[in-house]
Amino acid sequence: MKLGIMKWTGRDRQRVWIVVECRRVPGCPGERIRLARERRRRWAVARRLAGKAAWVMFRGLAAAMVTYLYTARAMEQAFLQRGYRAYGGECLVIPFVFYGAFKAIGLAERAARAARQWTAERKGMTCGERGIPDAAYPQE
């Protein structure tokens, strides 16, 4: 559906056609949904979900890299101790290393977010509100 809008600029009158996609709401004859708003809202949700998915993928890849380093080192040590290539108890620890690395990266991210929030909250505070005595900053 097209909606026409008259735009007045100074003495001249200009006719501007703005194309607005609308969809009628069933059951309500005068009600319309503006699809551009819905599309913007959906794109915002999609961007937020993509950001979260990217962070989870990053955490998973980083944990996998840490696990790979552990596995390579553990297999090398097992080979040096036994004198032949075999897989034993060191393989049982690999899922725990992955889980621990995944959780540690998540905790580091939460700590960084809390630190950013804390510094943003303290930015507008005076020295007294921060807990720093005024005597620490002598006035001239």
Side-chain angles (χ1 to χ4, degrees), residues 8-103:
W8 296 88
T9 56
R11 289 187 223 164
D12 299 334
R13 183 179 71 166
Q14 297 175 354
R15 183 175 292 250
V16 178
W17 286 96
I18 298 175
V19 177
V20 179
E21 269 186 286
C22 295
R23 182 175 40 187
R24 294 184 189 271
V25 177
C28 300
E31 293 293 318
R32 292 186 177 95
I33 297 175
R34 300 221 187 272
L35 296 179
R37 286 186 194 148
E38 288 296 317
R39 201 171 290 125
R40 276 196 303 267
R41 190 175 305 129
R42 286 182 188 148
W43 276 108
V45 169
R47 277 193 303 274
R48 194 169 37 248
L49 287 175
K52 288 180 182 179
W55 177 248
V56 169
M57 286 174 37
F58 169 75
R59 281 175 58 186
L61 287 174
M65 286 190 301
V66 169
T67 305
Y68 173 74
L69 293 174
Y70 167 78
T71 304
R73 182 76 174 150
M75 296 298 171
E76 179 185 332
Q77 289 299 316
F79 178 74
L80 291 175
Q81 287 177 0
R82 293 186 190 113
Y84 56 92
R85 186 172 294 277
Y87 303 106
E90 63 273 359
C91 292
L92 297 174
V93 183
I94 291 173
F96 297 110
V97 170
F98 179 83
Y99 181 74
F102 191 81
K103 283 298 189 179

